[in-house]
Amino acid sequence: MSLGIIGGTGLTQLNGLEFIKEKTIKTPFGAPSAPFVIGKFKGEKIIFLARHGKPHRIPPHEINYRANIWGLKKLGVDEIISVVAVGGISKSMKPMRIVIPDQIIDYTYARKHTFFVKNLKEVTHIDFTHPYTPSLRRTLIKLAKKKKIKIIPTGTYGCTQGPRLESASEILRMGRDGCDIVGMTGMPEAALARELNLDYASIAIIANWAAGKSDAEITMEDIHYYLAEGMKSAMKLLSGIVDTKYR
Ligand code: HPA
């Protein structure tokens, strides 16, 4: 078993990762966001990828999700934990909290969203009833309980196209649709992982109230501040998962 960690905004490098080597991979879908960093985390080999590149420069709609997921598979990863920044829509989804989402609604468009395009033996439709791998989610939730890390164990992640933030009415509509949190990078990443049979779960860090959910303007300064705070718990979860699953 081998673990891949995809870091989002606020996580371009994994503190505590003992560097072994960097691997640049060519894929049939073009270049991944950055070289894959192979290293030891808590004594176990893992592979880390900065989703927005290093430095952080690739906007959500320009990320080559296919190359990223393909590259991880090629390097032998069979489980991915992705860290994502989100805005909070539902009342309980307060900035700095951590959510282990269980559902997705996809509002993105014009992204390269599937590996199944040509030269297919047959038309394939993946089952996506439970978009995040239930067993991997359960492990994260159990671990949070054991380590007394406060998390919200379920939530529906609405994925918008970006890079702009949403209008207040868009967020109201997303709330009516059943979205609890909103981000820009959860899709097509989760579906691509499923297409390649990789287990996939997310740790979502709430960086701000979504548009119209507070009186304050959403600023990048605030987002970075709350993300940094939430990241402390996310890091505890990541190190715990390595301890739990990989020894
Ligand atoms: N909307 C979309 N993506 C985000 C947000 C948001 O409010 N905050 C962090 N990522």
Side-chain angles (χ1 to χ4, degrees):
M1 275 216 296
S2 180
L3 176 69
I5 296 175
I6 303 180
T9 304
L11 188 63
T12 37
Q13 65 182 43
L14 196 63
N15 287 339
L17 182 68
E18 286 170 48
F19 181 86
I20 298 176
K21 63 180 168 189
E22 267 190 1
K23 201 133 177 123
T24 303
I25 284 195
K26 278 197 190 141
T27 83
F29 308 97
S33 296
F36 294 89
V37 182
I38 301 174
K40 277 203 164 172
F41 189 57
K42 295 270 141 191
E44 294 298 313
K45 199 178 131 197
I46 65 128
I47 300 178
F48 177 78
L49 178 68
R51 183 189 285 113
H52 295 274
K54 197 168 173 258
H56 184 279
R57 64 185 170 83
I58 311 170
H61 61 294
E62 293 289 345
I63 290 167
N64 192 339
Y65 295 95
R66 293 195 299 183
N68 290 351
I69 298 294
W70 183 275
L72 285 169
K73 172 97 179 178
K74 190 162 175 205
L75 289 172
V77 159
D78 45 24
E79 283 190 322
I80 297 174
I81 296 186
S82 84
V83 180
V84 291
V86 295
I89 299 178
S90 306
K91 271 213 174 76
S92 58
M93 301 288 168
K94 296 190 175 128
M96 248 154 70
R97 292 205 167 159
I98 303 273
V99 190
I100 310 297
D102 63 329
Q103 278 298 326
I104 291 179
I105 300 179
D106 187 6
Y107 299 90
T108 64
Y109 48 88
R111 295 186 181 190
K112 297 244 166 39
H113 65 287
T114 179
F115 292 114
F116 300 145
V117 276
K118 46 186 170 192
N119 304 323
L120 301 175
K121 282 200 201 96
E122 58 180 344
V123 176
T124 308
H125 305 284
I126 51 161
D127 180 289
F128 206 50
T129 313
H130 302 291
Y132 299 98
T133 306
S135 55
L136 190 52
R137 288 188 58 257
R138 272 197 301 275
T139 307
L140 282 170
I141 294 163
K142 256 202 228 155
L143 179 68
K145 252 194 203 141
K146 193 169 136 207
K147 297 224 160 195
K148 299 196 167 43
I149 304 167
K150 254 182 102 174
I151 56 142
I152 303 171
T154 54
T156 297
Y157 176 109
C159 192
T160 56
Q161 175 71 355
R164 67 165 177 84
L165 292 160
E166 300 72 34
S167 71
S169 287
E170 285 170 335
I171 291 297
L172 282 176
R173 184 184 75 162
M174 290 178 75
R176 287 195 298 274
D177 283 354
C179 297
D180 298 301
I181 48 180
V182 52
M184 299 176 190
T185 55
M187 285 295 283
E189 199 173 85
L192 292 166
R194 181 66 51 84
E195 284 190 354
L196 295 189
N197 257 324
L198 300 171
D199 286 349
Y200 181 95
S202 281
I203 300 174
I205 304 169
I206 305 174
N208 56 283
W209 281 113
K213 293 289 169 187
S214 87
D215 294 333
E217 189 189 333
I218 304 170
T219 66
M220 284 314 287
E221 287 75 35
D222 284 354
I223 287 184
H224 284 298
Y225 170 76
Y226 287 115
L227 258 185
E229 284 302 306
M231 196 62 75
K232 293 177 192 163
S233 308
M235 285 303 297
K236 282 190 212 155
L237 267 181
L238 285 175
S239 49
I241 195 108
V242 173
D243 268 346
T244 310
K245 289 208 76 172
Y246 292 86
R247 51 192 76 229

